[in-house]
Amino acid sequence: MAEVLQSLSQLGEVAKPDQPVAPVHVKKVDAQGRAYATGKRKNAIARVWIKPGSGKVTVNGRDQEVYFARPVLRLVLQQPLQLVDRMTQYDVIVSVKGGGLSGQAGAVRHGISKALTFYEPELRSPLKKEGFLTRDSRVVERKKFGKAKARRSFQFSKR
């Protein structure tokens, strides 16, 4: 039963409930020694596996230079690896679908960041600080009836 307190000085003596403990992030690796994560952006979904290697990035069975021809998109992919200085330590295998190339590059970046935290949990704080672990939730707004697009009205003509 609950104890009845006679004064405020007794309040400090009452047993306090256990404080919630911060989650401890542990290494999550499969039987082949790979870390897996899913990255998303817009309508693109990237499945990412990282394993120790020479720094080769393969996207849908092709080299990253072939799949992402624009240098800006390749730069987006390399951001998390450059931030934690792991460019030549991991091989990255990616399967990405949906959306356009820009959304796919963002999804791959998100997936690489998450996979890095699963492989090396101590990398979580620098990646989180740069915002690479946050899923960019912005998506295209749907078209409404009575409108030309999502918000644009049809052209008005007085006559």
Side-chain angles (χ1 to χ4, degrees):
M1 287 252 294
E3 296 178 18
V4 178
L5 300 176
Q6 302 299 328
S7 68
L8 288 176
S9 61
Q10 292 177 338
L11 189 61
E13 299 167 7
V14 176
K16 295 178 183 171
D18 292 334
Q19 294 293 326
V21 181
V24 178
H25 298 285
V26 294
K27 187 173 179 176
K28 296 179 187 172
V29 183
D30 64 5
Q32 286 87 26
R34 303 174 302 184
Y36 169 78
T38 305
K40 295 182 179 183
R41 177 147 200 287
K42 293 187 178 179
N43 283 334
I45 300 171
R47 299 184 304 159
V48 179
W49 291 267
I50 65 167
K51 62 182 181 181
S54 60
K56 187 177 180 209
V57 178
T58 308
V59 182
N60 288 353
R62 292 185 270 177
D63 198 39
Q64 69 170 343
E65 282 82 16
V66 176
Y67 194 85
F68 292 112
R70 291 195 315 216
V72 174
L73 299 179
R74 288 197 301 273
L75 183 80
V76 168
L77 294 190
Q78 295 165 358
Q79 283 177 332
L81 293 167
Q82 283 178 339
L83 178 72
V84 295
D85 197 29
R86 302 286 194 278
M87 286 295 294
T88 58
Q89 292 184 13
Y90 294 112
D91 285 343
V92 181
I93 298 109
V94 181
S95 171
V96 64
K97 62 181 180 181
L101 285 177
S102 177
Q104 287 185 351
V108 172
R109 179 179 83 170
H110 185 225
I112 289 173
S113 302
K114 282 173 65 176
L116 278 171
T117 62
F118 292 151
Y119 204 88
E120 293 185 57
E122 62 273 6
L123 298 179
R124 182 172 172 81
S125 111
L127 290 169
K128 183 123 178 104
K129 194 171 164 186
E130 288 295 318
F132 293 155
L133 296 177
T134 306
R135 196 257 200 247
D136 189 356
S137 60
R138 297 175 296 170
V139 291
V140 178
E141 190 175 351
R142 76 171 190 89
K143 184 196 175 301
K144 278 64 163 203
F145 53 87
K147 297 280 187 177
K149 293 167 77 176
R151 298 185 182 207
R152 190 198 186 289
S153 300
F154 295 110
Q155 182 173 345
F156 174 75
S157 173
K158 200 166 190 178
R159 296 185 213 339

